[in-house]
């Protein structure tokens, strides 16, 4: 499956039935994704033998009607687009000068169905934003400690009788993550292997009970110089 196919499937999974109902005409999210990826390829600049720089600040201009449809998807669309660009950059060995910023704006001069992307390279701080995807629903981890389980005392509650009330915790220090099993009855698997405590790299798959949890980290913009990409690690 290609990156664009993965993007479309991921967006459909997150927004559900709203996807098909909203995009029967005009610009499709897949067209925006392709335009952004094309912008990176077009603007890629070789600055050294091992470094190809691509823009990290991208503005997508759309007609009022197209913009309204895209905006209806909320943060889910921006998150999926950001993830797509990160994956494309990794595959092509591109380097961003800082955190990725994708903005959708209205251009009254554009006809419906037209996508225009403007971009620039801005050195800034990368703010790593951790999320987990559970049964098609995306949860941002906004605290340093997040507990997941079936009990009401968990920060993220899942309807799975195969999990404990407080099954796992994810610790996040701003750049690294750690997964800990909280003494659950049925145990925890990370990328197919049983674990009690382990570093949690981006794009890892956690399995508890019958529930599959995908841990992701999105690069977003901040101020100042950016740190290296997170690899997971103990606190």
């Amino acid at each position: 499956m290609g990156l664009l196919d993965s993007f479309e499937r991921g967006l459909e999974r997150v927004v559900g039935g709203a996807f098909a109902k909203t995009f029967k005409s005009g610009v499709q999210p897949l067209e925006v994704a392709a335009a952004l990826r094309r912008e990176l390829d077009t603007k890629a600049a070789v600055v050294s033998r091992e470094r190809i720089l691509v823009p990290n600040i991208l503005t997508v201009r759309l007609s009022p009607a197209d913009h309204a449809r895209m905006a209806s998807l909320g943060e889910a669309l921006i998150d999926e687009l950001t993830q797509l660009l990160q994956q494309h950059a990794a595959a092509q060995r591109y380097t961003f000068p800082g955190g990725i910023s994708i903005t959708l704006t209205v251009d009254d001069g554009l006809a419906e169905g037209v996508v225009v992307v403007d971009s620039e390279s801005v050195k800034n701080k990368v703010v790593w934003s951790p999320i987990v995807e559970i049964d098609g629903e995306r949860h941002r981890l906004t605290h340093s400690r997040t507990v997941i389980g079936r009990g009401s005392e968990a920060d993220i509650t899942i309807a799975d009788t195969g999990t404990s009330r407080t099954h796992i915790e994810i610790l996040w220090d701003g750049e690294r993550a750690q997964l800990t099993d909280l003494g659950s009855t049925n145990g925890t698997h990370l990328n197919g292997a049983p674990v009690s405590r382990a570093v949690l790299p981006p794009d890892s798959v956690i399995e508890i009970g019958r529930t599959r949890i995908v841990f992701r980290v999105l690069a977003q913009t901040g101020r100042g110089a950016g740190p290296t990409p997170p690899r997971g690690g103990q606190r």
Side-chain angles (χ1 to χ4, degrees):
M1 183 187 302
L3 287 181
L4 291 178
D5 291 329
S6 298
F7 162 79
E8 190 168 40
R9 289 175 183 269
L11 189 58
E12 287 178 336
R13 185 175 62 249
V14 172
V15 303
F19 185 88
K21 294 177 182 178
T22 302
F23 296 98
K24 293 182 179 179
S25 63
V27 171
Q28 303 292 309
L30 194 63
E31 294 176 89
V32 174
L36 286 168
R37 194 171 72 164
R38 187 164 54 249
E39 182 71 7
L40 294 194
D41 294 338
T42 301
K43 297 291 182 65
V46 179
V47 295
S48 69
R49 178 180 296 180
E50 298 181 352
R51 192 174 187 219
I52 304 175
L53 195 66
V54 291
N56 60 317
I57 307 299
L58 301 112
T59 302
V60 180
R61 291 191 278 130
L62 301 163
S63 71
D66 286 327
H67 181 271
R69 284 190 290 269
M70 294 293 171
S72 69
L73 297 180
E75 289 186 351
L77 175 61
I78 300 301
D79 286 349
E80 290 293 335
L81 289 170
T82 300
Q83 182 178 319
L84 170 76
L85 292 190
Q86 288 181 191
Q87 292 173 335
H88 181 60
Q92 300 300 319
R93 298 187 177 182
Y94 293 158
T95 299
F96 293 106
I100 301 170
S101 172
I102 301 173
T103 305
L104 307 182
T105 64
V106 175
D107 188 331
D108 293 324
L110 292 181
E112 188 172 350
V114 176
V115 181
V116 177
V117 178
D118 301 317
S119 65
E120 59 180 327
S121 296
V122 177
K123 187 175 182 180
N124 54 33
K125 182 180 180 181
V126 179
V127 178
W128 301 104
S129 180
I131 62 173
V132 291
E133 295 176 357
I134 306 173
D135 294 332
E137 186 174 355
R138 176 166 288 172
H139 304 266
R140 288 184 179 273
L141 307 186
T142 57
H143 302 290
S144 60
R145 179 177 186 263
T146 302
V147 174
I148 302 175
R150 63 178 172 83
S152 59
E153 61 268 43
D155 299 301
I156 299 175
T157 303
I158 54 178
D160 183 347
T161 56
T163 63
S164 298
R165 295 185 63 83
T166 54
H167 198 112
I168 59 171
E169 71 172 9
I170 296 175
L171 302 180
W172 174 255
D173 68 0
E175 294 183 24
R176 295 170 296 275
Q178 175 181 289
L179 170 69
T180 302
D181 182 281
L182 299 175
S184 68
T185 301
N186 294 324
T188 299
H189 286 75
L190 176 62
N191 296 324
V195 295
S196 57
R197 176 176 296 171
V199 297
L200 187 59
D203 300 320
S204 295
V205 177
I206 306 164
E207 293 173 289
I208 58 175
R210 296 179 299 278
T211 300
R212 184 176 185 269
I213 302 169
V214 181
F215 174 75
R216 302 192 190 281
V217 180
L218 302 180
Q220 299 179 324
T221 58
R223 296 181 180 179
T228 56
R231 298 178 180 274
Q234 295 188 5
R235 292 171 62 84

